[in-house]
Coordinates of all heavy atoms in Angstrom, one line a residue:
L1 N 95.6 100.1 104.6 CA 96.5 99.3 103.7 C 97.7 100.2 103.4 O 97.6 101.3 103.1 CB 95.8 98.9 102.4 CG 96.6 98.1 101.4 CD1 97.0 96.7 102.0 CD2 95.9 97.9 100.1
D2 N 98.8 99.5 103.6 CA 100.1 100.2 103.2 C 100.8 99.2 102.2 O 101.0 98.0 102.6 CB 101.0 100.3 104.5 CG 102.3 101.1 104.2 OD1 102.3 102.0 103.3 OD2 103.3 100.8 104.9
V3 N 101.1 99.7 101.1 CA 101.9 98.9 100.1 C 103.1 99.6 99.8 O 103.1 100.7 99.2 CB 101.0 98.7 98.8 CG1 101.8 97.8 97.8 CG2 99.7 98.1 99.1
D4 N 104.3 99.1 100.2 CA 105.6 99.7 99.9 C 106.3 98.9 98.8 O 106.4 97.7 98.9 CB 106.4 99.7 101.2 CG 106.0 100.7 102.3 OD1 105.4 101.7 101.9 OD2 106.3 100.4 103.4
V5 N 106.9 99.7 97.9 CA 107.7 99.1 96.9 C 109.1 99.0 97.5 O 109.8 100.1 97.8 CB 107.8 100.0 95.6 CG1 108.7 99.4 94.6 CG2 106.3 100.2 95.1
V6 N 109.6 97.8 97.8 CA 110.8 97.6 98.5 C 112.0 97.5 97.5 O 113.0 98.1 97.7 CB 110.8 96.3 99.3 CG1 112.1 96.0 99.9 CG2 109.7 96.4 100.3
D7 N 111.8 96.8 96.4 CA 112.9 96.6 95.4 C 112.2 96.4 94.0 O 111.2 95.7 93.9 CB 113.7 95.4 95.8 CG 114.8 95.2 94.8 OD1 115.5 96.1 94.3 OD2 115.0 94.0 94.4
V8 N 112.8 96.9 93.0 CA 112.4 96.6 91.6 C 113.7 96.3 90.8 O 114.5 97.2 90.5 CB 111.7 97.8 91.0 CG1 111.2 97.5 89.5 CG2 110.5 98.2 91.8
D9 N 113.9 95.0 90.5 CA 115.0 94.6 89.7 C 116.4 95.1 90.1 O 117.2 95.4 89.3 CB 114.8 94.9 88.2 CG 113.8 94.0 87.6 OD1 113.6 92.9 88.0 OD2 113.2 94.4 86.5
G10 N 116.5 95.4 91.4 CA 117.8 95.9 91.9 C 118.1 97.3 91.5 O 119.2 97.8 91.8
V11 N 117.1 98.1 91.0 CA 117.3 99.5 90.6 C 117.5 100.3 91.9 O 116.9 100.1 92.9 CB 116.1 100.0 89.9 CG1 116.1 101.5 89.7 CG2 116.0 99.2 88.5
T12 N 118.4 101.3 91.8 CA 118.5 102.3 92.9 C 118.0 103.6 92.4 O 118.2 104.0 91.3 CB 120.0 102.4 93.4 OG1 120.8 102.7 92.3 CG2 120.4 101.0 94.0
S13 N 117.4 104.3 93.3 CA 116.8 105.7 93.0 C 116.8 106.5 94.3 O 116.4 106.0 95.3 CB 115.4 105.5 92.5 OG 114.8 106.8 92.4
D14 N 117.2 107.8 94.1 CA 117.1 108.7 95.2 C 116.0 109.7 95.0 O 115.9 110.7 95.7 CB 118.4 109.5 95.3 CG 119.6 108.7 95.8 OD1 119.3 107.7 96.6 OD2 120.7 108.9 95.4
D15 N 115.1 109.4 94.1 CA 114.0 110.3 93.8 C 113.1 110.4 95.0 O 112.7 109.3 95.6 CB 113.2 109.7 92.6 CG 112.0 110.6 92.2 OD1 111.5 111.3 93.0 OD2 111.6 110.5 91.0
P16 N 112.8 111.5 95.5 CA 111.9 111.6 96.7 C 110.5 111.0 96.6 O 109.9 110.5 97.5 CB 111.7 113.1 97.0 CG 112.7 113.8 96.1 CD 113.2 112.8 95.0
E17 N 110.1 110.9 95.3 CA 108.8 110.2 95.0 C 108.9 108.7 95.2 O 108.0 108.0 95.6 CB 108.4 110.5 93.6 CG 107.1 110.0 93.2 CD 105.9 110.8 93.8 OE1 106.1 111.9 94.3 OE2 104.8 110.3 93.7
L18 N 110.1 108.1 94.9 CA 110.3 106.7 95.0 C 111.8 106.4 95.2 O 112.5 106.3 94.3 CB 109.8 106.0 93.7 CG 110.0 104.5 93.7 CD1 109.2 103.8 94.8 CD2 109.5 103.9 92.3
T19 N 112.1 106.2 96.5 CA 113.5 105.9 96.8 C 113.6 104.4 96.8 O 112.8 103.7 97.4 CB 113.8 106.4 98.2 OG1 113.6 107.8 98.3 CG2 115.3 106.1 98.6
L20 N 114.6 103.9 96.0 CA 114.8 102.4 95.9 C 116.3 102.1 96.2 O 117.1 102.8 95.7 CB 114.4 101.9 94.5 CG 112.9 101.9 94.2 CD1 112.7 101.5 92.8 CD2 112.2 100.9 95.1
P21 N 116.5 101.0 96.9 CA 115.5 100.2 97.5 C 114.8 101.0 98.6 O 115.3 102.1 99.0 CB 116.2 99.0 98.1 CG 117.6 99.5 98.3 CD 117.9 100.5 97.2
H22 N 113.7 100.5 99.2 CA 113.0 101.2 100.2 C 114.0 101.6 101.3 O 114.7 100.7 101.8 CB 111.8 100.4 100.7 CG 110.9 101.1 101.7 ND1 111.3 101.4 102.9 CD2 109.7 101.6 101.5 CE1 110.3 102.1 103.5 NE2 109.3 102.2 102.6
P23 N 114.0 102.8 101.7 CA 115.1 103.2 102.7 C 115.1 102.6 104.0 O 116.1 102.5 104.7 CB 114.9 104.7 102.8 CG 113.5 105.0 102.3 CD 113.2 103.9 101.3
G24 N 113.9 102.1 104.5 CA 113.9 101.5 105.8 C 113.9 100.0 105.9 O 113.9 99.4 106.9
A25 N 113.8 99.4 104.7 CA 113.6 97.9 104.6 C 114.6 97.1 105.4 O 114.3 96.1 106.0 CB 113.5 97.5 103.2
H26 N 115.9 97.6 105.3 CA 117.0 96.8 106.0 C 116.9 96.8 107.5 O 117.5 96.0 108.1 CB 118.3 97.4 105.5 CG 118.6 98.7 106.0 ND1 118.0 99.9 105.5 CD2 119.4 99.2 107.0 CE1 118.4 100.9 106.2 NE2 119.3 100.5 107.1
Q27 N 116.0 97.7 108.1 CA 115.9 97.7 109.5 C 114.6 97.2 110.0 O 114.3 97.2 111.2 CB 115.9 99.2 109.9 CG 117.2 99.9 109.6 CD 117.1 101.4 109.8 OE1 116.1 102.0 109.4 NE2 118.0 102.0 110.5
R28 N 113.8 96.6 109.1 CA 112.4 96.2 109.5 C 112.2 94.7 109.4 O 112.0 94.2 108.2 CB 111.4 97.0 108.7 CG 111.6 98.5 109.0 CD 110.6 99.4 108.2 NE 110.8 100.8 108.6 CZ 110.5 101.8 107.8 NH1 110.0 101.6 106.7 NH2 110.8 103.0 108.2
A29 N 112.2 94.1 110.5 CA 112.0 92.6 110.5 C 110.7 92.3 109.8 O 110.5 91.2 109.2 CB 112.1 92.1 111.9
F30 N 109.7 93.1 109.9 CA 108.4 92.8 109.3 C 108.4 92.8 107.8 O 107.5 92.3 107.2 CB 107.2 93.8 109.9 CG 107.4 95.2 109.5 CD1 106.9 95.6 108.2 CD2 107.9 96.1 110.3 CE1 107.0 97.0 107.9 CE2 108.0 97.5 110.0 CZ 107.5 97.9 108.8
V31 N 109.5 93.3 107.2 CA 109.7 93.2 105.8 C 110.6 92.0 105.5 O 110.4 91.2 104.7 CB 110.3 94.5 105.2 CG1 110.8 94.3 103.8 CG2 109.4 95.7 105.4
L32 N 111.7 91.9 106.3 CA 112.7 90.9 106.0 C 112.3 89.5 106.2 O 112.6 88.6 105.4 CB 114.0 91.2 106.9 CG 114.6 92.6 106.7 CD1 115.8 92.8 107.6 CD2 115.1 92.8 105.2
V33 N 111.5 89.3 107.3 CA 111.1 87.9 107.7 C 110.2 87.3 106.6 O 110.4 86.3 106.0 CB 110.4 87.8 109.1 CG1 109.8 86.5 109.3 CG2 111.5 88.1 110.2
P34 N 109.1 88.0 106.2 CA 108.3 87.5 105.1 C 108.9 87.4 103.8 O 108.6 86.5 103.0 CB 107.0 88.4 105.1 CG 107.3 89.5 106.0 CD 108.5 89.2 106.8
W35 N 109.9 88.3 103.5 CA 110.6 88.3 102.2 C 111.4 87.0 102.1 O 111.4 86.3 101.1 CB 111.5 89.5 102.1 CG 112.1 89.7 100.8 CD1 112.0 89.0 99.7 CD2 113.0 90.8 100.5 NE1 112.7 89.5 98.6 CE2 113.3 90.7 99.1 CE3 113.5 91.9 101.1 CZ2 114.2 91.6 98.4 CZ3 114.3 92.8 100.5 CH2 114.6 92.6 99.1
L36 N 112.0 86.5 103.2 CA 112.7 85.3 103.2 C 111.8 84.1 103.0 O 112.2 83.1 102.4 CB 113.5 85.1 104.5 CG 114.7 86.0 104.6 CD1 115.4 85.8 106.0 CD2 115.8 85.7 103.5

């Protein structure tokens, strides 16, 4: 199981523990398609 936090209320964060939005989400159709 992989659970990625993609976005939380539009918050941005560069914390290495939790980068928001998820840094690879914009390149991954397996995230974008189901999100739509």
Side-chain angles (χ1 to χ4, degrees):
L1 181 62
D2 185 33
V3 181
D4 286 334
V5 180
V6 176
D7 178 46
V8 180
D9 284 337
V11 170
T12 58
S13 168
D14 290 329
D15 184 334
E17 183 76 12
L18 178 60
T19 304
L20 288 173
H22 189 284
H26 68 286
Q27 301 171 311
R28 297 179 181 156
F30 67 83
V31 173
L32 303 175
V33 170
W35 191 357
L36 288 173

